[in-house]
Amino acid sequence: MPAVQETIDQVRLIDVDQYKYGFETEVEMEKAPKGLSEDVIRFISGKKGEPEWMLQWRLDAYKRWLTMNEPNWARVSYDKIDYNDIYYYAAPKMNPSPKSLDEVDPEILKTYEKLGIPLREQEILAGVEPQNRVAVDAVFDSVSVATTFKEELAKAGVIFMPISEAIREYPDLVRQYLGTVVPVTDNFFATLNSAVFTDGSFVYIPPGVRCPMELSTYFRINEKNTGQFERTLIIADKGSYVSYLEGCTAPKRDENQLHAAVVELIALDDAEIKYSTVQNWYPGDAEGRGGIYNFVTKRGDCRGKNSVITWTQVETGSAITWKYPSCILRGDNSRGEFYSIAVSNGKQQVDSGTKMIHLGKNTTSRIISKGIAAGKSENTYRGLVSAHRKATGARNFTNCDSLLIGNQCGAHTVPYIESKNATAVFEHEATTSKISEDQMFYCQQRGLSDEEATALIVNGFVKDVLQQLPMEFAVEAQKLISISLEGSVG
Amino acid sequence: MLEIKNLVVQIEDKRILNGLNLTVNKGEVAAIMGPNGSGKSTLSYVIAGKEDYEILDGEILLDGENLLEMEPDQRAAAGVFLAFQYPLEIPGVASMTFLKAAINAQRKARGEDELTTPDFIKRVNAAATQLEIPKDMLKRALNVGFSGGEKKRMEILQMALLQPSFCILDETDSGLDIDALRIVSEGVNALRSPDRAFLVITHYQRLLNHIVPDTVHVMHGGRIVRSGGKELALELEANGYADYRESEAA
């Protein structure tokens, strides 16, 4: 309840069209030459001090990418992207591997302070219960600038570091798993990412270890005309558990910027990974100028028996979202879950959903998707549930609800269901509703303003999914949803 | 308290209220009776400020303030409460959450401090006990899956918590069995006070046996055609609305 009140206060404080994280950081940057070529890839690989195999991997991906076409099946439209008009590497000029925060540019530290992301461990420690601590990897354009609680995590055997560092320090581990969930050839954007990825997080949880704190990565795009191509790889070894959070913001700019990430999760026998995202990239202005193109491939592999992967996402940002966090249910008795809230306002376009691929026996999956469309936005749920012929006893439950605010937006649901095993049981429920004028009037009659009433009704609509988020995140997400919808009534 | 002068209202070019005049004094319980389509529910919606109605003429004053210039939430904060004939469902929002949001929104609009959680819970529990509302109902989403009787009790619970100065009950007796009618009526009677006025809209005398009115007004063709004491309700019960229909035909 206090969260609802905060939401309301928050909504009141800001003007229409105000994106809270739209500021820019002035910092001296080092960039690769504009455009994409083998030389640029060699430049990136060289900057990261990568071994030869990694460079070869990238170059192979690049060659492959040159032969591929951009996908056009999603329900989104945008001007053709000129891939040679983008910087593929931009990093603040600083010590490439800072030993402590004192070596990090104070402007960058200030940026994270403004974003409310704590990087100083001492400050985080003060007044926070150990179980509520969050370790952060902060990625600024193409590089990770700081990672907190590394040592404490290392004591538990947990590896949490920028992926570029992991490639140098744990090459065998990275090589064993990288590209095994999202192959280099998977799709146009994933292949591009494989060629040019710059940074992201690497997580390894050893057998039987319950990660002692939440891990998180905070992605910030700052530099103009720069794409962000992060790569995240999380491995939960047998019987381990980890909860991982991801947040993203970018400055307001009139040009569109490309964000093409790849996230791979691997859960071995009896392991569990919870992956939560609050995606708040700059969505563009009310006229649809600017904003991030968020073209992301996220996939988890329940490789071991009894393994569990849960995706929870709150999507409020980006001009265009193209994103389908999926689960491959390979291990017997494994479970995949997808909880999503996708909010679109203004001229945002969202085409998002999930894939649950049932391969193993007695695998189960659950999909709860809540789409909220306001303004002139288009919001599509696209999902696939499939059972392989060996997936005896596969079960899925899907629930897709859409809520429309106003009469100029659209909500669409495109579910694909394929079953090659007669014992599989798939259920699909879908509803589309509008906030009715009668509901609004009822709330207003009790004293709630337009905005308060909308916030309350929307919070009720997304409640099932919010409950899946870690506590602090849920409060944040609730605020964010209201802010995104602000100005949508009228 | 409430003064309605020459109110003329239409919806989609159809005239519903036709120069309606009505005064309700502080502490008074006024009943409005009338046949279907006489404009009773429209009157309640127009007082509360529902959109879709076009006000062509007249004014509505609450303690001298012009309600027609206020938004529905401002009217609520000023003391207007409408117990709906068909309360709306708000999925996913616990009744408790809704109640607290409403109380605090009104307090804020009046420049008062928000209620603390313990204080709020104390008040809700007291009111809920009186209306025989079980605690688990307060945790359920507002009005979702509630029976007709539960919905009406929830309306009165909200009224008890919001402490409005002018309460409109729109066909509150519809869909109630005898026990629920008793509970709801007792709840309303407990709120009667010299500072509070009620406008009780009903088809039937039945409700007025439980909530005894000070005045009874007969509405027909969008205006008040007759006013009297509580005995007028009994007369209507005996004779029906036929007299008024004939008078219109004549």
Side-chain angles (χ1 to χ4, degrees), chain A residues 96-117:
Chain A
S97 39
K99 292 281 171 290
S100 77
L101 287 182
D102 300 335
E103 292 174 30
V104 177
D105 188 321
E107 282 300 315
I108 293 175
L109 293 180
K110 259 190 238 161
T111 302
Y112 287 93
E113 222 167 88
K114 264 167 121 172
L115 296 168
I117 310 298

Side-chain angles (χ1 to χ4, degrees), chain A residues 1-2 4-5 8-9 12 436-439 441-450 452 456-457 459-461 463, chain B residues 45 48-50 52 72-73 76 80-82 84 88-89 91-93 97-98 101-102 105-106 108 114 143 155 158:
Chain A
M1 187 48 224
V4 175
Q5 196 51 53
I8 294 159
D9 295 343
R12 283 223 179 95
S436 73
E437 281 170 23
D438 286 345
Q439 271 178 325
F441 174 61
Y442 185 75
C443 294
Q444 286 171 295
Q445 208 301 303
R446 298 304 187 246
L448 301 167
S449 66
D450 269 0
E452 290 166 331
L456 195 74
I457 293 169
N459 277 329
F461 177 73
K463 196 176 148 209
Chain B
Y45 284 144
K50 193 171 199 270
D52 346 311
D73 51 315
V80 175
F81 182 92
L82 169 61
F84 282 60
L88 277 294
E89 299 181 357
V93 178
T97 305
F98 183 82
Q106 292 201 12
K108 220 161 140 188
E114 291 186 5
N143 293 328
E155 292 293 287
Q158 294 182 42

Side-chain angles (χ1 to χ4, degrees), chain A residues 446, chain B residues 76 81 95-104 106-107 110 112 115 118-131 133 138 142 153-165 167 187 191 196:
Chain A
R446 298 304 187 246
Chain B
F81 182 92
S95 304
M96 203 74 163
T97 305
F98 183 82
L99 290 171
K100 198 169 177 200
I103 288 190
N104 283 334
Q106 292 201 12
R107 292 180 73 96
R110 292 193 292 258
E112 298 163 12
L115 280 185
D119 195 9
F120 166 72
I121 288 176
K122 219 161 66 190
R123 292 188 196 201
V124 174
N125 286 346
T129 307
Q130 202 204 354
L131 290 161
I133 291 175
L138 296 170
L142 183 68
R153 271 184 280 162
M154 188 53 80
E155 292 293 287
I156 306 304
L157 176 70
Q158 294 182 42
M159 191 163 95
L161 287 169
L162 293 167
Q163 297 278 323
S165 57
C167 309
L191 291 169
R196 183 173 291 135

